[in-house]
Structure formats: C-alpha cells, structure tokens
C-alpha cells in the first residue's frame, strides 16, 4: 500500500523530532501494510520552509537509515505546499517538490487567498505543467460550510486527497461528514494518512479504506489505492463521475481577503 501524504522526515516541521521517532513512525507504517511513503513536509506554512533541495537531502538520509534498520519502507520526495503569493517565486527558484518528481503537487489552501487568487494559482500551475492536488479539503472551513465549491474545482481539473483520519472521525463530526460527502459524490481521488507522530496523528489508512469501501463500495476503494500508485509513477489518475451538488449553488466568495 502507498501513502501519498506523510510527515515522516525528522526535524523539519511538526512531524518527528529526531531520527529515532522517524524510524518508529516508519515501523508503524509497515505494520499497517504500507510499503511506500511520500514524504510531505510543510513548505511556506508559518515558519516551516522546506524547499526541494532540503527535502531531497532528508529523503536520501531517511532511506539510508531505513535500509540500515531493515524496515521495508521506501520514501519518495514530496511536499505539502501552503499556497501563498510566493508560488511563482518558489517555482522560479525550483523550491517546489512534486510527488516523486512527477507532475502532481500537494497543496494546502490558505484562508487568506481570495477565489480570484486561487484560480490564478491553479492556472499558473497548469501552465507550468503541474497538476494541483488539494490535501484534506474536508478540513477546510469554507468547504465544510459549502462543499459544492469542491465540485467546481474538480471540474476545473483539480484533484482532491482525503485524509484517513477524517473518515474515521479523528477531526470531529463536521469533518467526517464532509469527507464522506466528498467520497460518495466522487469528488476525491486519493486517500492518505497525513501522519505526523505515533500518538495523536498516526496512520489510519487501513481503517480509512475500510470505511471508504463501506460507504462507496469496493470499486471506489480499489480506485483510490490504484491512484496512489499512479500518482507516484506520474500516470493519469482514475476519476469517478463527479455528482452534481443538489441544490445548485453559485460560486460565492468564500475566502477572507
């Protein structure tokens, strides 16, 4: 099983604080049946700054330590990019780290972005041949209030990645309800752990996939697993037919400026 979103690299964000904790997190992942992890340290979120060069170095070190410890996990470089006005500068300076150097970039939305700026950022990424994947949309307050906004983004070619912890209720009933709605309406494409540590933010992928199968059927759960492999290998993701939200709502301004 492939986990496309995990904060497993040590000493770079709110994930593991040292190499020992990182290896223990990898052991827990292996126990969940995970064989490949996309390392996704925060970039541009608060004081976290993890450009592509820093990530490449830490991923290399992590894989070396995994081999030495005999842990059957392979780590692939990635990044959780907090979408800001610095996007163009980060692209120009080659600070963006896509999933395994493919076209897929995991992005986290900022409530300080206006809809116009979001649309401009998405257009820019596509013009640069980068495919945006919005992480944990079910935890984003404007989407919880009006999930139909997600439908518009999906129809514009934006991919969505749910977090397993959201499906199992780790972040509360509102988030869980939104996650289920997104999954049932075929607005999502990937499921990841977003694991940070061994206690509060661990791996819940196995439970998440069980719920996904219960809510949406085996075919959908299998599609999400296959999409993880496709994303890591830079192939086109398989999408279900997105259900039109009912009742229809206008695309309202939902970000604070």
């Amino acid at each position: 099983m492939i986990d496309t979103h995990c904060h497993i690299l040590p000493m770079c964000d709110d994930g593991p604080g040292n190499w020992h904790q990182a290896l223990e997190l990898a052991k827990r992942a292996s126990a969940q049946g995970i064989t490949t992890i996309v390392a996704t340290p925060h970039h541009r979120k608060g004081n976290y700054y993890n450009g592509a060069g820093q990530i490449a170095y830490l991923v290399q070190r992590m894989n070396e330590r995994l081999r030495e410890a005999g842990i059957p996990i392979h780590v692939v470089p990635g990044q959780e990019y907090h979408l800001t006005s610095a996007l163009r500068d980060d692209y120009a300076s080659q600070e963006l780290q896509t999933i395994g150097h493919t076209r897929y970039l995991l992005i986290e939305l900022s409530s300080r972005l206006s809809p116009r700026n979001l649309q401009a950022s998405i257009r820019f990424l596509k013009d640069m041949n980068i495919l945006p994947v919005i992480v944990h949309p079910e935890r984003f307050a404007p989407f919880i209030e009006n999930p139909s906004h997600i439908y518009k983004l999906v129809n514009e070619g934006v991919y969505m990645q749910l977090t397993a912890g959201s499906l199992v209720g780790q972040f509360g009933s509102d988030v869980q309800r939104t996650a289920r709605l997104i999954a049932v309406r075929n607005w999502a494409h990937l499921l990841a752990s977003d694991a940070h540590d061994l206690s509060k933010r661990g791996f819940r992928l196995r439970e998440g996939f069980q719920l996904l199968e219960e809510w949406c059927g085996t075919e959908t759960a299998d599609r999400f697993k296959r999409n993880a492999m496709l994303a890591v290998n830079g192939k086109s993701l398989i999408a279900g037919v997105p259900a039109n939200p009912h009742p229809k709502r206008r695309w309202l301004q939902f970000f604070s400026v």
Side-chain angles (χ1 to χ4, degrees), residues 39-93:
T40 54
H42 290 292
H43 184 54
R44 291 285 183 187
K45 185 172 185 178
N47 295 323
Y48 299 133
Y49 189 93
N50 292 289
Q54 165 78 350
I55 294 170
Y57 169 75
L58 289 174
V59 165
Q60 180 181 357
R61 292 283 308 279
M62 186 69 194
N63 281 320
E64 290 172 354
R65 289 175 178 260
L66 287 168
R67 287 192 295 270
E68 293 171 358
I71 302 173
I73 292 283
H74 177 67
V75 177
V76 175
Q79 185 182 64
E80 184 176 3
Y81 185 78
H82 194 67
L83 197 58
T84 71
S85 58
L87 173 63
R88 288 167 174 77
D89 291 337
D90 282 339
Y91 175 81
S93 58

Side-chain angles (χ1 to χ4, degrees), residues 10-49:
M11 302 167 288
C12 61
D13 63 1
D14 53 349
N18 53 54
W19 286 109
H20 174 73
Q21 293 176 6
L23 291 176
E24 289 300 312
L25 194 60
K27 290 179 183 177
R28 189 69 59 86
S30 182
Q32 282 257 322
I34 296 169
T35 58
T36 302
I37 289 176
V38 178
T40 54
H42 290 292
H43 184 54
R44 291 285 183 187
K45 185 172 185 178
N47 295 323
Y48 299 133
Y49 189 93

Side-chain angles (χ1 to χ4, degrees), residues 3 32 35 41 55 66 81 86 96 130-131 144-145 155 159 186-187 196 210 214 229 232 243 252:
D3 185 359
Q32 282 257 322
T35 58
I55 294 170
L66 287 168
Y81 185 78
L96 300 182
I130 294 176
L131 300 174
I144 294 175
E145 295 170 3
N155 279 331
Y159 295 100
N186 278 325
W187 294 349
H196 285 60
Q210 288 174 349
E214 178 183 326
M229 183 179 296
V232 168
L252 302 176

Side-chain angles (χ1 to χ4, degrees), residues 232-252:
V232 168
N233 288 288
K235 306 297 184 181
S236 298
L237 302 188
I238 304 168
V241 179
N244 195 0
H246 183 75
K248 292 183 179 180
R249 298 182 181 179
R250 294 185 299 113
W251 174 244
L252 302 176

Side-chain angles (χ1 to χ4, degrees), residues 117-175:
N117 289 338
L118 173 60
Q119 296 293 330
S121 296
I122 290 173
R123 285 196 300 270
F124 173 78
L125 289 171
K126 290 183 176 180
D127 288 345
M128 299 301 106
N129 203 31
I130 294 176
L131 300 174
V133 181
I134 294 180
V135 300
H136 47 73
E138 73 281 1
R139 287 161 47 194
F140 188 53
F143 289 167
I144 294 175
E145 295 170 3
N146 191 346
S148 62
H149 297 318
I150 301 171
Y151 176 75
K152 180 175 177 62
L153 289 171
V154 170
N155 279 331
E156 292 176 354
V158 178
Y159 295 100
M160 300 288 164
Q161 177 176 270
L162 297 172
T163 299
S166 299
L167 269 63
V168 304
Q170 185 176 359
F171 301 98
S173 58
D174 287 344
V175 171

